[in-house]
Amino acid sequence: MNGATIEGPLPDASEMSATDRWILSRLNATVAQVDAYYEDYQFAKLSDALYHFAWDEVFDWYVELSKTTFFAGGEQARVSGRVLGEVLDVMLRLLHPIVPFVTEALWTTLTGRESVVIADWPKDSGFRDAAAEAEIENLQQVVTEVRRFRADQGLQPGQKVPARLELGGTALAAHEAAIRQLLRLQPEGEGFSATASLPVAGATVALDLSGTIDVAAERKRLTKDLAAAEKEKAQANGKLGNEAFLAKAPDNVVEKIRTRLAKADEDIARIQAQLANLPQA
């Protein structure tokens, strides 16, 4: 991958961004977990752990969050490139026993060395950074919540929206460029008028959706969804309030109805919030 390097020792943690420290912390935790699974011959569990680390953490988050760093260049890009190289190197070595041919091709290309077969087995260095993990977890919450809101409003993934990010007083201020890139958020500019405000993880993302959606059509759609959720809630409440039904119904059936009721309550609260956040037509 462009920018990744395995040359030289890892930079000191003080030189790394929170994103770098987070992925190294998760890498070492994964090494320890996978080692235990290999020792116990739990191949299904180790495969699952490596899959989710590679896909959910390295590529879905670390690579995406680091793009702004690599685009900017400079010393921080060099540091992150070395961290990325380390992550890919270790990850490929961990995967090699269960995905031998692909990892051999990728690892020799990445490292320029003879074969991953004769490479040392990765070791857990013991590096953990709970603060960085908490910081990136908050960042993930912000990105996930705004993405969900955008999807609920019918916005296309690549559609740009003017936004004001209120990140002061939080560690997320250092991630503003990455947040804007991942969420396709433009600077607020002149004439900005917040039509939706999302408080998440101590931060607030204010969006100006005027001119980006058909408000009347969206209100109609949400009203229809709200009616369906309220009907679902009424039906679940009706069954749970029927003593004769409860006396005869199996426990698993009653539990499913309670789950449906909780889901309906969540849907109603979410849709009502979306309706309240819509611009006035």
Side-chain angles (χ1 to χ4, degrees), residues 100-144:
F101 301 108
V102 172
T103 52
E104 174 75 5
L106 293 174
W107 190 85
T108 52
T109 299
L110 173 68
T111 66
R113 297 175 187 168
E114 182 179 352
S115 174
V116 68
V117 176
I118 57 176
D120 292 335
W121 186 249
K123 294 181 180 179
D124 174 11
S125 71
F127 177 80
R128 301 289 191 279
D129 194 322
E133 292 202 32
E135 182 174 327
I136 300 305
E137 182 178 346
N138 286 339
L139 174 57
Q140 291 171 328
Q141 288 179 16
V142 171
V143 172
T144 300

Side-chain angles (χ1 to χ4, degrees), residues 165-178:
L165 305 185
E166 298 173 9
L167 309 175
T170 75
L172 297 177
H175 302 282
E176 180 169 353

Side-chain angles (χ1 to χ4, degrees), residues 188-194 208 210:
E188 51 191 283
E190 294 183 9
F192 177 85
S193 178
D208 184 354
S210 58

Side-chain angles (χ1 to χ4, degrees), residues 30 33-34 37 44-54 57:
T30 301
Q33 181 184 35
V34 169
Y37 286 147
K45 289 185 178 180
L46 74 87
S47 298
D48 189 63
L50 286 170
Y51 168 81
H52 286 292
F53 174 70
E57 298 186 90

Side-chain angles (χ1 to χ4, degrees), residues 143-275:
V143 172
T144 300
E145 179 62 19
V146 177
R147 279 176 172 168
R148 185 196 63 76
F149 179 80
R150 285 178 56 112
D152 287 342
Q153 299 303 317
L155 298 176
Q156 295 299 315
Q159 189 171 350
K160 295 183 178 180
V161 177
R164 180 174 62 243
L165 305 185
E166 298 173 9
L167 309 175
T170 75
L172 297 177
H175 302 282
E176 180 169 353
I179 292 172
R180 286 190 178 277
Q181 179 187 350
L182 288 174
L183 294 173
R184 303 297 189 268
L185 302 179
Q186 296 177 317
E188 51 191 283
E190 294 183 9
F192 177 85
S193 178
T195 58
S197 185
L198 306 176
V200 191
T204 300
V205 180
L207 305 171
D208 184 354
L209 301 180
S210 58
T212 62
I213 59 174
D214 184 333
V215 176
E218 186 62 16
R219 191 176 296 281
K220 182 178 179 180
R221 182 185 72 82
L222 289 172
T223 300
K224 181 179 178 181
D225 290 347
L226 180 60
E230 288 173 339
K231 180 179 179 181
E232 177 74 8
K233 178 178 180 178
Q235 290 175 342
N237 274 328
K239 290 182 178 181
L240 293 175
N242 186 329
E243 293 297 334
F245 171 79
L246 293 177
K248 296 178 181 179
D251 290 344
N252 66 312
V253 172
V254 175
E255 185 58 34
K256 285 182 180 178
I257 295 172
R258 289 189 176 126
T259 301
R260 283 169 48 197
L261 176 60
K263 177 65 166 55
D265 281 332
E266 291 177 3
D267 288 344
I268 289 169
R270 174 176 57 81
I271 295 168
Q272 287 176 336
Q274 291 168 16
L275 283 167

